[in-house]
Amino acid sequence: MPGILVVAATAEGALSRSSLELVGGARALDASLGSGVSAALLGHGLGSTGAAEALHQHGVATVYRVDHPALTAGQSDAYLAAAEQVARTAKPDVVLVGADTVGREVAPRLAHRLAGALVTECTELAVEGGAVVVRRQAYGGRALATLVVRGRPAVLSVKPRSLDAPEPAPVAGSVVDVDAQIDPNALPTRVREVLREKSEVGLEDAQVVVSGGRGLGGPDGFKMIEELAAMLGGAVGSSRPPADAGWVPISWQIGQTGKTVRPALYVAVGISGATQHVAGMAGSRTIVAINRDPEAPIFGVAHLGLVGDYREIIPPLIARIKELKAR
Amino acid sequence: MDIIVCLKQVVDPELPARDFAIDPATRRQVREGRPLVLSTYDENALEVALQMKDHQGAKVTALTIAPQATVGDTVRLALAMGADEAVVIDDPRSPELSGPARARMLAAVIRKIGRYDLVLTGCESADLVERLIAPLLAEELGAACVTFVARIDAADGPLVVRRQADEGYHVVEARLPAVLSVTSDEANRPRLPKVKDIVTAKRKPVQIWTPGDLGSMADDGGVEVRDVAIPQRTGKCEFLTGDPAQQAEALALRLRELKLL
Ligand SMILES: Cc1cc2nc3c(=O)[nH]c(=O)nc-3n(C[C@H](O)[C@H](O)[C@H](O)COP(=O)(O)OP(=O)(O)OC[C@H]3O[C@@H](n4cnc5c(N)ncnc54)[C@H](O)[C@@H]3O)c2cc1C
Ligand SMILES: Cc1cc2nc3c(=O)[nH]c(=O)nc-3n(C[C@H](O)[C@H](O)[C@H](O)COP(=O)(O)OP(=O)(O)OC[C@H]3O[C@@H](n4cnc5c(N)ncnc54)[C@H](O)[C@@H]3O)c2cc1C
């Protein structure tokens, strides 16, 4: 049945958040296209994860499941082979892939193998006048491009955290097990090891993010930021210069090349507000900027602005928050 | 080891917003009168190639598709940094090519160059940030693909690279030939060419080909750029005034009002 195929995977033993976001996007498209939403659920030991049930719970009727030992963390070549096999079975018009570490490698190659059209890093999906229309950022976040995708299948990679996870909409579903022909020894790449960084677990999902930039002057400045973040129950992020200089792990970087976050509160400290940084945080609900330059572009996106030296503002802020929380 | 590095020329991405404009006819960024630079991460890719040349010996070829009239500085910089030779595909249409068409053209050039073990690209172009050239090139060439490579851990036996990942790094082993897209890392800060290198670079070979040398190249990406808009930020920032302690006090109270405390 031609329709929309979501390429889904698990994380931490359950259906991943970005897979759910894709389901949300697929359902919105389906409301106009009406051709149905199915999923390619790819992984190993999927039975115990409840991922297929979670997909049914969120309105996906048909789940094509590929359960194979080669489908482990970061094995792009295996995911590509599995996704290709499902796509050849399901023959979808539209394929949605999350633009994460694996998806960035899978989506273009899948489009190539299926001789389809390709748009990467989409942030919005829509149907306008019967055509699939997508939006993506361009030129370092300075512009928003609207593209009409005419080729089929349309393979679209979607930037994580740009679509909302959908409300549940349970359907009676079925699971089709697809027997994948993947020979692990024939794959051109192999992940030997996963090195986890001292990373802010769940930076992308944190409700509060406190970020530091070059204006912090060095790794010591981040101690203050970490204390403020801990006080607010949030995670720490950074702009590119601190990550490039090794003051903080690269996985903390927020922006065009780094992560996209949409917390309830984003505090930018010593960050000028270059478009490439703003691209990763502009969707935050409340943005607070602390910067000693009143002309800094960050104040153009902030809701609340504090002009001054962070070293003089943050300590009394931490003290005051402590008091308020103690009450 | 033969290494080909793909270099894209872009309008300086850190140019102030007032110098940024979209040409309504082509729906692309206006390039005239703006400084053109090597796309940010392409310099990191070139540095990775040059480090391999320094450590174990390699021939490094810089490859760019661009209108020849504008490409001089890109090629000169690459050769001065240490690339051995350059190949330029002089294509006046190149800023308008679709991703798949551009990858197909790069693949055709690479096949024409003939010898390669590694093809390096930037992890994303500084202007369009599509992150698709490396994976598409890998498909075109039937090569292995790893994107967002921060460093090369080993290349004497099997190729082992470190891929930047959502949770940290993946250590990935790849077969040759391979296409790698490179991200910035402490270990691949681009070198600055010395005066002597700039002089010797003038004698290095630069081959200029036209798209016609590559056979016919249809551009049927199936994607049409309908509109490129510059969003206007409404800019409604409320400034909290006073001395630092008063600002801190005001912010703490506002956070409480917003139920964030
Ligand atoms: C292709 C490409 C991709 C990129 N990707 C990203 C990305 O993913 N993420 C990202 O962040 N950037 C990215 N950048 C870089 C981006 O263009 C900016 O260079 C970067 O965001 C600037 O970081 P910053 O604001 O920390 O530093 P700066 O621009 O140097 O700003 C420092 C700020 O700190 C303020 N300051 C200094 N001292 C103090 C003090 N004591 N108290 C308070 N304020 C102080 C200054 O007034 C200034 O505004 C990218 C660039 C390119 C070309
Ligand atoms: C706003 C806008 C959005 C667009 N979106 C899409 C889309 O979603 N899908 C689509 O198919 N087309 C799209 N296009 C068409 C677009 O021109 C091409 O997709 C573009 O060629 C993609 O290249 P990139 O440089 O961004 O790719 P990236 O994959 O981000 O580039 C990575 C690397 O490839 C190498 N490279 C890129 N160009 C060259 C070159 N000329 N010479 C040598 N090496 C090079 C460099 O090493 C570079 O760092 C869009 C065009 C516009 C204006």
Side-chain angles (χ1 to χ4, degrees):
Chain A
M1 184 184 61
I4 305 163
L5 179 72
V6 168
V7 178
T10 57
E12 323 287 337
L15 185 66
S16 72
R17 157 93 185 255
S18 46
S19 302
L20 262 185
E21 293 167 1
L22 297 179
V23 170
R27 270 167 48 188
L29 290 179
D30 186 53
S32 304
L33 295 175
S35 47
V37 178
S38 58
L41 176 59
L42 316 178
H44 185 47
L46 291 168
S48 62
T49 62
E53 294 74 18
L55 286 163
H56 297 324
Q57 277 298 314
H58 288 87
V60 180
T62 310
V63 175
Y64 297 93
R65 182 168 60 192
V66 183
D67 201 315
H68 193 286
L71 294 168
T72 53
Q75 286 294 355
S76 304
D77 290 322
Y79 284 96
L80 172 62
E84 181 185 355
Q85 209 150 331
V86 173
R88 292 198 187 282
T89 307
K91 301 193 171 46
D93 282 330
V94 179
V95 183
L96 302 185
V97 182
D100 53 17
T101 304
V102 167
R104 288 192 298 234
E105 293 179 1
V106 167
R109 298 166 74 196
L110 185 62
H112 190 274
R113 291 183 183 192
L114 300 174
L118 169 68
V119 184
T120 55
E121 310 287 328
C122 302
T123 55
E124 289 174 49
L125 312 174
V127 177
E128 292 172 17
V132 174
V133 173
V134 301
R135 294 199 169 75
R136 67 189 303 286
Q137 292 181 335
Y139 303 115
R142 287 192 167 94
L144 188 66
T146 304
L147 301 110
V148 183
V149 195
R150 301 201 193 287
R152 293 290 179 270
V155 179
L156 310 174
S157 83
V158 180
K159 220 172 161 54
R161 301 304 175 266
S162 42
L163 304 179
D164 292 318
E167 297 296 322
V171 289
S174 62
V175 175
V176 181
D177 277 303
V178 177
D179 180 24
Q181 321 281 314
I182 306 171
D183 174 3
N185 296 317
L187 300 177
T189 66
R190 187 171 67 84
V191 176
R192 278 190 181 176
E193 202 181 340
V194 174
L195 307 174
R196 283 185 181 271
E197 272 193 322
K198 172 202 167 204
S199 93
E200 283 308 314
V201 193
L203 175 57
E204 285 167 300
D205 297 321
Q207 280 304 296
V208 174
V209 175
V210 183
S211 277
R214 178 157 31 209
L216 296 193
D220 283 346
F222 271 88
K223 299 221 176 81
M224 217 183 261
I225 297 296
E226 285 179 56
E227 196 184 340
L228 177 59
M231 212 65 222
L232 292 165
V236 185
S238 85
S239 63
R240 193 174 75 166
D244 266 357
W247 302 351
V248 302
I250 194 93
S251 54
W252 291 15
Q253 180 175 322
I254 290 168
Q256 173 182 309
T257 316
K259 296 196 158 98
T260 301
V261 298
R262 290 199 308 172
L265 173 65
Y266 188 87
V267 186
V269 186
I271 293 178
S272 62
T275 53
Q276 292 91 353
H277 182 76
V278 171
M281 47 66 79
S284 309
R285 185 130 43 85
T286 298
I287 299 171
V288 175
I290 302 176
N291 194 303
R292 68 175 177 201
D293 173 10
E295 301 295 322
I298 191 72
F299 292 121
V301 289
H303 305 100
L304 296 172
L306 289 77
V307 179
D309 189 328
Y310 81 94
R311 288 165 297 192
E312 291 170 13
I313 295 174
I314 306 266
L317 180 62
I318 291 173
R320 193 68 184 104
I321 291 172
K322 226 180 241 170
E323 279 173 33
L324 287 174
K325 284 179 69 166
R327 276 195 207 158
Chain B
M1 173 91 67
D2 288 281
I3 309 177
I4 296 173
V5 188
C6 301
L7 305 176
K8 182 182 187 182
Q9 199 184 33
V10 299
V11 176
D12 185 345
E14 310 215 20
L15 221 53
R18 62 174 178 278
D19 294 326
F20 177 73
I22 299 289
D23 177 344
T26 61
R27 289 172 227 97
R28 299 302 198 266
Q29 178 177 22
V30 177
R31 294 165 76 92
E32 286 69 33
R34 274 75 172 171
L36 298 173
V37 299
L38 202 50
S39 183
T40 314
Y41 298 107
D42 297 6
E43 288 197 36
N44 302 101
L46 184 55
E47 177 61 34
V48 165
L50 296 173
Q51 286 180 13
M52 293 183 79
K53 175 177 165 177
D54 294 345
H55 295 150
Q56 61 185 77
K59 180 179 172 209
V60 177
T61 303
L63 165 58
T64 185
I65 306 177
Q68 195 208 329
T70 65
V71 86
D73 291 346
T74 306
V75 169
R76 266 194 295 277
L77 174 62
L79 294 174
M81 279 173 73
D84 297 294
E85 59 176 61
V87 175
V88 176
I89 311 304
D90 177 17
D91 186 359
R93 287 184 319 133
S94 72
E96 269 107 73
L97 290 178
S98 78
R102 191 172 297 202
R104 224 172 297 137
M105 190 179 278
L106 285 168
V109 187
I110 291 167
R111 277 193 294 262
K112 192 168 147 90
I113 294 173
R115 288 164 53 106
Y116 64 94
D117 303 291
L118 276 184
V119 178
L120 305 185
T121 75
C123 60
E124 62 187 32
S125 66
D127 51 0
L128 293 175
V129 198
E130 302 199 350
R131 307 174 167 175
L132 46 66
I133 295 291
L136 289 175
L137 254 183
E139 286 298 300
E140 290 284 340
L141 296 170
C145 170
V146 189
T147 61
F148 282 76
V149 170
R151 52 181 88 171
I152 294 187
D153 282 342
D156 28 11
L159 181 70
V160 181
V161 304
R162 197 168 290 216
R163 174 175 63 194
Q164 193 185 312
D166 299 325
E167 67 273 39
Y169 294 96
H170 294 163
V171 180
V172 185
E173 189 180 313
R175 290 208 191 125
L176 297 182
V179 181
L180 311 178
S181 88
V182 175
T183 188
S184 62
D185 184 79
E186 280 169 87
N188 66 26
R189 283 214 189 101
R191 62 191 67 188
L192 293 173
K194 301 187 194 69
V195 175
K196 171 176 78 59
D197 303 327
I198 296 170
V199 175
T200 49
K202 296 208 170 91
R203 290 195 297 271
K204 290 181 175 173
V206 179
Q207 300 192 47
I208 297 167
W209 298 343
T210 64
D213 297 335
L214 305 169
S216 80
M217 250 346 110
D219 190 350
D220 50 1
V223 179
E224 174 204 325
V225 182
R226 190 167 78 185
D227 176 49
V228 180
I230 306 178
Q232 295 305 319
R233 303 234 174 259
T234 37
K236 271 194 273 169
C237 183
E238 178 191 339
F239 285 94
L240 306 179
T241 53
D243 67 29
Q246 289 166 330
Q247 287 175 296
E249 165 78 19
L251 179 58
L253 293 174
R254 290 302 290 273
L255 295 181
R256 159 153 281 199
E257 269 170 42
L258 291 165
K259 306 218 176 333
L260 291 164
L261 282 189

